[in-house]
Structures are given as structure tokens and as C-alpha cells.
Amino acid sequence: MIEARGLARTFKSRSRTVEAVRGVDIDVAAGELVGFLGPNGAGKTTTLRMLTTLLRPSAGSATVAGRDLLTDSLGVRRQIGYVAQGGGSAPECRVVEEIEIQGRFYGLSKAESIRRGRALAEHLDLDGLEQRLVRTLSGGQKRRLDIALGLIHSPRLVFLDEPTSGLDPQSRANLWQHIRSLRDEHGVTVFLTTHYLDEADALCDRVLVIDDGTIVAAGSPDELKSTVSGDGVTVGVPAESTVDAAEIAGHLPGAHEVSTTEDTVSFRVPRGDTALPELLRALEAKGIAMTSIQVQRPSLDDVFLTVTGRSLRDAQEVPGAA
Amino acid sequence: MLRETWLVFRRHTAVSLRSPAWVIIGIIQPVLYLVLFGPLMEKIVANTPGFPPGDAWQILTPGLLVQLGLFGSMFAGFALLADISTGVLERMRVTPVRRLALLLGRVLHDMVQLLVQAVLLVVLAALVFGLRAPLAGVALCLVMVALLGICLSSCSYAVAAILRSEETFPPVLTSVSVPLLLLTGILVPITMDLAPRWLYVLSRINPFAHVMDAERAAFRGEYSVDALLTGSVVLCVVTVLAVWWGARTFHRENA
Ligand SMILES: Nc1ncnc2c1ncn2[C@@H]1O[C@H](COP(=O)(O)OP(=O)(O)O)[C@@H](O)[C@H]1O
Ligand SMILES: [Mg+2]
């Protein structure tokens, strides 16, 4: 469905040059649900806008839904649906009008557009809202309307940019369900971006991790997690014993990435469950009283940490990122 | 392409019809000029040599029509900026609708709205203030106003699409519109007898001053004077240029 090679985009302004995307290769097969995971400012939106013909790449080439991105942008636009990060419905319009005109933009007849609009509204829990002005919709309703607008022409490939950002947990879970059913029931290929780890983990068949304009890891959530070596263990100890406790932890078989805070010691071991008893014994022998203990299976955040050297949660706080 | 333009036109018109008050608000200013300035104009025109032929209303009404065409259409860009910030423009740009149709549909909508306002204004001037003008001349005038609207709203969209900023657009608009309006001679015609030479020359460089002269000639029913021909040709040329500029901007990726 998508085959991109060396896609890059540089923004130039008078004062500075931003290499937003630095040559990414993307392959998405038909029927896949692929997530593009990265912190704010990583280049997700820029990549999506290139793939949807909104932005001309500075370099690279791509075939999207069987059409050449650079020479047949109209062909690409006919085949795809795109739901932008901020949506695209006009606050001053009625829900039903936006849906109808969107269908007509895609060449549907008025009757057909209305018929599909009804079906979509029902499917996305929008029924009963047809006569409402867009500005009176809740965040979740507006998001679902934006998605309905992107699906009116039954595209076989849809791009969703941060589909659940800013939604409450209930609406998010609800939207995940809708996105899954797109793929499961309608065979739509979905390419979405997210900066939520749990979303990428729970929703996507395959995740591409992007950071600073480069794809730094790719694979299914499980594959990615297995590249991180081992479980994370964090033990709480009295402040005066952290150094000793770190020493002990470091001597456990296979232990690595040992680090300490004022009153905790963290490290990784291949198997957290078997390492614990040994650790407890060793600490007791030294007379160190442990205050807490936590074992964590690797998460996508650990994957991000491993490949970039910083946590995705921290990366979110990059100042000035959009 | 025609169908697409029609769809875009229809969408924007549906939005405008929902709040028709804007049509009225748009002509409040010219109506105020008619009511509060028109009576003064009668005396001035009668007592000052140098005015073109015709009575006060024949001079003022076409002036206000041109003002409506210039000033009203210049604000079209604000609607585009709103659609940029809500993502509406981007949503439309991912559909197969040609980018030229996205521009033309909007421009057409602005033009129709302008024509409605212009007709209201002329009817008001005729009924309340006793404006006398030949019907054919008024019709010709309205055609020119329509072209003026196409020209100015295309320019407004081009500028808005280039600036893409609700902060910088208004000051740019003001700095262009005020000198343009003054140099067009909307209220007091800039004639060779009334204006100092440098001002007259300056106004001749402004294409819309020629359009202004043409409209006044049409209102007097003088279809054979040079002014009408010059004005029409100038108007057609600037309109074509403006639409071309708008189309080019809309084709560029970030419009
Ligand atoms: N139109 C633009 N002009 C200049 N810089 C831009 C533009 N769009 C995005 N950027 C920059 O490109 C980088 C990537 O942005 P973006 O693709 O929006 O990231 P993401 O969607 O992953 O949060 C950021 O540093 C952003 O500031
Ligand atoms: Mg983004």
C-alpha cells in the first residue's frame, strides 16, 4: 500500500533550517494497521503530509495506494483518506452538510453521499447529531466526525494523524475499537501516528519508531520489546545503602544498566522473576533492609530509551516542539 | 472542473446563507456614506468647478460601488485564514478537487455576495435619494463591480495564503487598502482640475482609478467616451492577473 524510499523534508525560513524528516523508508502492506510512534516534533505529521500530497518532499520517492506520489498526486488523493491532527470540519457548518459535501468532493452523487454518510454516522456513533453545528460537538464526537469525513469515499488506505490525542480515556478506548473494526471488518489499511506508548502497543500490528526525523526502530510491539534485553527491576533501599545495594545488583548474573537515585537502585536482568530471590538473599546477608521492589516487563518506552538514549516521556518535553 | 467549482461555491454559500446578517453589515458603511455624506456632496458638486459632469448621486453612487468592490472583497482572505486554522482547507486539499476549483468556488461566492450588496445599494440610492441613471449603464457598472470583486478577492486569498497569519494579514491589508482607496477617488473624483498634478499622476498609475472613471461614465450613460474603454480594458487585465496569481498561490504546496 505504501512504499516510500528516502523521503525527506527540510523547512527553510530566513533564520533557520529545520530538517524535519531525514530520509525515511516506509513499507506498509495491504490490510496492515501500522503506527508511527515518536515524540512531538519527531516529524510524524510532516511525513504524513508528504505521503498525502500536501507537502512536496525535498528528496525521495513513494508509491501510495499504487500511484506515484510525485507524478500522480491526483491519483493518490482519489485513493486515500486523511484525517489531520487538528481535524478538518468547519465549526460553522452542520454535521450532515459537511459529510454530504465531502462525499461530493470525492465524486459521489448527492444521494450516494447521503446514504454513505448515514451508514458512517451510524457506524461511528454519530447518529442523532446530523443537524448539530460542528462547534457544538464534544471532542470525541468531533474527532469521529473528522474520521467520517476521511472515510466517506471508502478509501482502502487511511492516514490518521494522532487520532486520539486530547481525548478522555473513555473516548480513546471507543475510538480504538472503531479503528480496529476499520481494518478487521472493512479491510482498510491504516497508517496512524501517535505519541502514546499504550496506543501503539495496544492498537498496532507494527510500529515504526521515529525520532528527530529518522526511523530508529521498526517491528511488531512484541518484536520491539524483545530487542530490549531483559526486565527492569527497581528496589527501594535506605539512602545510606544505595551504593552497596548497587554493587550487589551488579554482581547478579546478567545484570546490566545499573543506576541509582537517592533511595532506589534500578537494573536490568534477563529474567526478573528468577533474579529476585537471589537479590533478596544477598541484600539480607549485607543487612540492607529493602523498602520496596518492582519488576517491569519491557515497554515500548524501554525500546525508545534503548534506541535513542532517552525516555519517550522525557522527549515529549522538548521545548518548542509542536 | 466546473462541477468542482460549483460544489465549492455551494459549500461557502451555504455557510453565508446561514448568517445573512453579514451581507447587511457589509453595506452599512456605504449606506452611511449615502445618508451622512451624500447631502453634503450635493452642495459641493454644485458649487465647485472641476467635477466631472453629472449630479452628486451619479458621482457618489458609483464611487461607493467601487469602494464596496475594493474594500469588501479585500477581507475575503480572513475566511481563508479561518479555514486554514481549522484545517478545513487542508481537508479539501486532500480530496481530488482541483486546487483551482477551491479558489474559483470561493471567489465566485464572494462575487455573488458582492453583487447582492451592490444591487441593494443602487436600489436604495435610487428609491431614497432619487439617483437617476440609465439602466444599461447601471448594469454595465454592476458587471464591472463583479470583475472588481473577482480581482480583489483573488488577491486577498493570495496574500492570506502567503502570509498564513491572522496577525500580519490585517496590517498588510490596511497599509494597502487606504492608499488604494484614496488614490481611486471614491468620494471626490481625482480630476485634472481638482487635484494637484502629482496627485493626478499618482492616481493614473492606480488601475482602479481608471475603473472608477469608467463606472462614472457608465452611470452618466456615456458609453462612447475613452474612459469607459480604458477602464474596462484595465479591469480585465488586472482581473486576469489577479486570478492567475491566486491560482498560482493555491497550487503551491502550502496554500
Ligand atoms: N511548516 C513548517 N515550517 C517550519 N517548520 C516546520 C513546519 N512543519 C513542521 N515543522 C518542524 O518540523 C519538525 C517536525 O514537525 P512535525 O512533523 O509536526 O512533528 P510531529 O508531528 O512528529 O510532532 C518540528 O521541529 C517542527 O517545528
Ligand atoms: Mg504531529
Side-chain angles (χ1 to χ4, degrees):
Chain A
M1 266 298 160
I2 306 175
E3 193 187 304
R5 289 292 167 268
L7 220 49
R9 173 71 199 207
T10 308
F11 292 107
K12 287 198 185 72
S13 63
R14 260 154 295 161
S15 50
R16 66 203 187 112
T17 309
V18 180
E19 284 184 62
V21 178
R22 307 163 189 258
V24 296
D25 298 340
I26 296 172
D27 288 281
V28 176
E32 267 194 308
L33 204 171
V34 174
F36 208 26
L37 174 71
N40 285 333
K44 303 183 296 293
T45 299
T46 305
T47 307
L48 234 57
R49 295 184 71 227
M50 285 194 280
L51 290 172
T52 52
T53 76
L54 287 169
L55 208 56
R56 200 179 305 285
S58 316
S61 62
T63 312
V64 176
R67 310 299 168 105
D68 188 272
L69 183 65
L70 300 177
T71 58
D72 186 14
S73 58
L74 194 62
V76 171
R77 293 209 290 272
R78 283 205 183 91
Q79 306 290 325
I80 63 166
Y82 170 64
V83 182
Q85 192 163 353
S89 42
E92 68 274 15
C93 284
R94 274 181 214 293
V95 170
V96 61
E97 292 169 346
E98 281 293 65
I99 295 180
E100 192 236 322
I101 199 79
Q102 179 80 351
R104 309 220 47 204
F105 284 161
Y106 279 99
L108 303 180
S109 70
K110 185 169 180 168
E112 177 67 7
S113 184
I114 290 174
R115 195 188 63 72
R116 288 203 203 178
R118 282 227 186 85
L120 268 176
E122 193 176 320
H123 195 78
L124 286 166
D125 299 327
L126 287 168
D127 30 353
L129 301 175
E130 284 93 342
Q131 294 305 323
R132 291 262 291 273
L133 290 181
V134 171
R135 78 163 80 86
T136 67
L137 300 182
S138 75
Q141 291 168 337
K142 166 129 183 351
R143 209 74 192 113
R144 276 177 280 141
L145 169 61
D146 290 328
I147 292 179
L149 294 179
L151 296 177
I152 189 75
H153 54 301
S154 313
R156 293 182 46 241
L157 169 63
V158 284
F159 293 90
L160 308 174
D161 199 357
E162 308 263 0
T164 68
S165 89
L167 295 186
D168 57 90
Q170 169 90 46
S171 311
R172 283 183 75 202
N174 175 283
L175 203 52
W176 284 1
Q177 210 47 54
H178 287 306
I179 295 172
R180 276 196 202 100
S181 80
L182 266 183
R183 197 268 310 267
D184 296 343
E185 290 162 33
H186 303 278
V188 178
T189 308
V190 182
F191 189 73
L192 61 83
T193 75
T194 182
H195 65 272
Y196 296 120
L197 296 156
D198 56 341
E199 184 156 283
D201 206 347
L203 193 57
C204 304
D205 304 329
R206 215 151 56 75
V207 177
L208 309 177
V209 184
I210 182 169
D211 184 43
D212 201 16
T214 316
I215 293 182
V216 290
S220 72
D222 285 336
E223 278 167 17
L224 286 174
K225 284 185 248 176
S226 70
T227 62
V228 178
S229 39
D231 301 341
V233 180
T234 304
V235 287
V237 290
E240 68 272 13
S241 319
T242 44
V243 177
D244 290 339
E247 168 99 26
I248 294 168
H251 285 110
L252 290 172
H256 58 282
E257 294 177 37
V258 183
S259 63
T260 60
T261 67
E262 199 186 316
D263 55 357
T264 64
V265 176
S266 309
F267 58 95
R268 287 193 178 281
V269 281
R271 294 207 42 197
D273 47 352
T274 56
L276 279 188
E278 204 170 327
L279 175 68
L280 294 183
R281 271 195 300 278
L283 287 176
E284 212 160 78
K286 278 264 184 180
I288 299 173
M290 194 172 55
T291 55
S292 68
I293 189 156
Q294 211 183 1
V295 181
Q296 263 186 329
R297 307 280 312 145
S299 69
L300 284 182
D301 196 24
D302 298 319
V303 175
F304 193 78
L305 183 67
T306 310
V307 289
T308 68
R310 62 193 207 288
S311 159
L312 183 58
R313 294 198 177 85
D314 300 340
Q316 304 290 8
E317 272 128 47
V318 175
Chain B
M1 184 68 208
L2 271 181
R3 173 182 178 274
E4 292 175 353
T5 305
W6 167 248
L7 285 174
V8 176
F9 167 78
R10 231 196 55 191
R11 178 177 179 288
H12 293 293
T13 306
V15 174
S16 298
L17 286 178
R18 180 143 330 107
S19 41
W22 284 108
V23 174
I24 305 297
I25 291 170
I27 58 167
I28 283 182
Q29 202 190 353
V31 167
L32 284 178
Y33 273 104
L34 271 186
V35 177
L36 303 179
F37 184 76
L40 284 177
M41 190 83 171
E42 280 189 305
K43 279 271 161 51
I44 297 174
V45 172
N47 298 325
T48 316
F51 267 92
D55 72 14
W57 302 107
Q58 280 178 330
I59 292 172
L60 185 59
T61 314
L64 293 178
L65 285 179
V66 170
Q67 184 194 26
L68 192 65
L70 285 177
F71 216 61
S73 309
M74 271 187 192
F75 284 89
F78 278 105
L80 185 73
L81 289 175
D83 280 354
I84 289 176
S85 71
T86 53
V88 172
L89 183 66
E90 188 131 297
R91 171 190 121 213
M92 295 184 180
R93 287 171 62 85
V94 198
T95 69
V97 173
R98 310 291 189 297
R99 269 123 207 212
L100 183 60
L102 292 180
L103 173 72
L104 293 183
R106 280 175 179 276
V107 169
L108 221 56
H109 153 265
D110 301 333
M111 186 203 84
V112 169
Q113 179 168 329
L114 176 66
L115 272 182
V116 170
Q117 293 173 328
V119 170
L120 281 177
L121 193 69
V122 172
V123 169
L124 197 76
L127 293 185
V128 180
F129 299 99
L131 162 75
R132 290 283 155 266
L135 215 55
V138 173
L140 190 62
C141 221
L142 289 176
V143 171
M144 286 193 272
V145 168
L147 282 176
L148 206 55
I150 292 177
C151 173
L152 268 295
S153 74
S154 298
C155 288
S156 182
Y157 288 132
V159 173
I162 291 168
L163 295 177
R164 297 178 73 82
S165 148
E166 272 152 13
E167 281 95 58
T168 51
F169 187 58
V172 169
L173 212 56
T174 323
S175 59
V176 175
S177 66
V178 172
L180 201 63
L181 278 175
L182 289 174
L183 284 179
T184 304
I186 304 280
L187 298 176
V188 177
I190 305 179
T191 61
M192 232 178 307
D193 301 327
L194 281 176
R197 189 169 164 72
W198 62 268
L199 183 58
Y200 180 75
V201 171
L202 216 53
S203 84
R204 292 296 97 186
I205 298 171
N206 170 15
F208 302 111
H210 297 277
V211 178
M212 187 67 260
D213 292 348
E215 299 233 4
R216 289 208 168 102
F219 253 65
R220 292 193 301 266
E222 294 172 10
Y223 308 119
S224 54
V225 294
D226 283 349
L228 191 61
L229 183 68
T230 317
S232 310
V233 171
V234 168
L235 181 57
C236 289
V237 170
V238 290
T239 305
V240 168
L241 285 178
V243 173
W244 174 78
W245 185 31
R248 233 185 54 144
T249 323
F250 262 54
H251 261 287
R252 268 219 337 249
E253 58 185 31
N254 45 10

